[in-house]
């Protein structure tokens, strides 16, 4: 099957666009109860530091309204509310089991009045225009069938003056370091997925999805194409991950 407007990639596999969302839901439904462990495996435990770096650049302010898309178990929303002091966060995820896991966390009970949990698609968000001050998506946009549409939707639901922040696995600019990381990713991560979650296939997909995602400069162009201004990115841990930022001005 050739790549055309009706097909997309699911890891290294080419699938009809209409099937990708269901396949992604299958992966994350499968790993939901072990999702936080999975992030530790995928990032060698560094994802927590990356999320702190995200908050440092974002600098949440009291009273802001956050939309955390592909927010899963609420990690970013909890950090945002903690930094803001007071505000509101809406966790939106395609996969209901992820939201269920998030609601079980102790932080969710402590912050219940400041949190909403919504099942929704990043490409067709169930929210009005100009609603949120901040839009975040962490390790989620590479799983979206059409990432450009997700960025367009982010622009739509943000208020004028609103901020986009994307945290995603990326490409290491140094070829030798990238090869070393690929060896780790393709040889170790699926095996750890099998050991930890009895689920090699989901972890294999996640590794493949990282390699299929656009590099930092290409994704920066996509952020600008959605209408965001003052768009920039920062590499984290040599480019294993990257933060992209943009403003709706």
């Amino acid at each position: 099957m050739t790549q055309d407007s009706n097909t997309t990639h699911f890891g290294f596999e080419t699938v009809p666009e209409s099937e990708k969302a269901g396949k992604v839901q299958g992966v994350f439904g499968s790993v939901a109860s072990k999702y936080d462990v999975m992030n530790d495996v995928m990032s060698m435990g560094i994802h927590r530091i990356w999320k702190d770096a995200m908050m440092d650049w974002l600098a949440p302010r009291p009273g802001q309204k956050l939309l955390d898309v592909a927010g899963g178990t609420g990690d970013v929303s909890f950090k945002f509310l903690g930094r803001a002091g007071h505000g509101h966060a809406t966790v939106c995820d395609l996969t209901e089991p992820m939201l269920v896991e998030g609601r079980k966390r102790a932080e969710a009970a402590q912050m219940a009045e400041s949190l909403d949990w919504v099942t929704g698609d990043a490409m067709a968000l169930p929210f009005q225009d100009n609603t949120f001050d901040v839009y975040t998506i962490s390790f989620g946009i590479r799983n979206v069938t059409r990432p450009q549409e997700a960025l367009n939707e982010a622009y739509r639901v943000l208020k004028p003056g609103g901020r986009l922040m994307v945290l995603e696995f990326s490409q290491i600019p140094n070829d030798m370091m990238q090869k070393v990381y690929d060896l780790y990713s393709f040889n170790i991560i699926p095996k750890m997925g099998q050991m930890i979650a009895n689920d090699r296939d989901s972890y294999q997909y996640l590794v493949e999805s990282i390699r299929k995602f656009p590099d930092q400069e290409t994704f920066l162009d996509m952020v600008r194409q959605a209408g965001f201004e003052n768009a920039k990115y920062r590499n984290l841990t040599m480019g294993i991950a990257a933060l992209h930022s943009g403003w709706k001005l």
Side-chain angles (χ1 to χ4, degrees), residues 44-58:
M44 297 176 279
I46 305 170
H47 72 101
R48 299 167 198 279
I49 296 168
W50 293 341
K51 287 170 182 170
D52 284 336
M54 181 187 200
M55 288 299 130
D56 290 344
W57 198 10
L58 197 54

Side-chain angles (χ1 to χ4, degrees), residues 5-31:
S5 60
N6 298 315
T7 65
T8 187
H9 54 79
F10 178 74
F12 290 165
E13 183 185 355
T14 301
V15 299
E17 280 194 346
S18 57
E19 291 181 11
K20 179 162 180 174
K23 285 178 173 286
V24 169
Q25 278 181 292
V27 168
F28 287 96
S30 163
V31 302

Side-chain angles (χ1 to χ4, degrees), residues 73-236:
T73 58
D75 246 17
V76 168
S77 291
F78 300 146
K79 285 180 183 290
F80 179 90
L81 292 171
R83 294 276 189 113
H86 68 88
H88 191 276
T90 300
V91 184
C92 179
D93 202 286
L94 190 65
T95 311
E96 179 68 24
M98 292 288 287
L99 298 173
V100 169
E101 289 300 319
R103 284 194 199 97
K104 291 178 186 175
R105 292 176 58 167
E107 301 100 320
Q110 294 160 11
M111 302 175 178
E113 291 183 5
S114 303
L115 277 167
D116 286 329
W117 304 83
V118 177
T119 306
D121 185 342
M123 297 189 301
L125 293 169
F127 307 108
Q128 306 249 323
D129 297 0
N130 309 314
T131 299
F132 299 95
D133 300 297
V134 180
Y135 172 112
T136 55
I137 183 165
S138 305
F139 308 120
I141 200 157
R142 75 179 190 281
N143 299 308
V144 174
T145 304
R146 293 184 294 278
Q148 188 65 61
E149 289 187 20
L151 292 170
N152 297 346
E153 276 289 271
Y155 189 87
R156 179 184 69 77
V157 301
L158 279 169
K159 297 175 183 175
R163 180 89 178 271
L164 166 83
M165 186 74 75
V166 181
L167 171 59
E168 188 53 86
F169 288 109
S170 201
Q171 312 298 335
I172 302 174
N174 181 300
D175 287 346
M176 182 58 71
M177 291 301 297
Q178 183 66 56
K179 284 176 182 169
V180 170
Y181 183 64
D182 282 349
L183 278 170
Y184 162 76
S185 297
F186 285 98
N187 291 296
I188 305 299
I189 290 177
K191 289 175 184 171
M192 291 180 77
Q194 181 64 41
M195 284 167 29
I196 293 166
N198 195 29
D199 187 354
R200 183 189 181 93
D201 290 350
S202 292
Y203 284 74
Q204 182 72 31
Y205 157 72
L206 290 165
V207 170
E208 292 175 2
S209 69
I210 292 169
R211 296 304 289 125
K212 294 293 287 186
F213 192 70
D215 66 19
Q216 290 89 321
E217 290 289 342
T218 305
F219 189 68
L220 185 65
D221 287 340
M222 293 169 68
V223 170
R224 290 175 174 145
Q225 191 176 327
F228 290 100
E229 298 186 43
N230 198 19
K232 299 175 182 174
Y233 72 85
R234 294 177 179 177
N235 282 331
L236 303 173

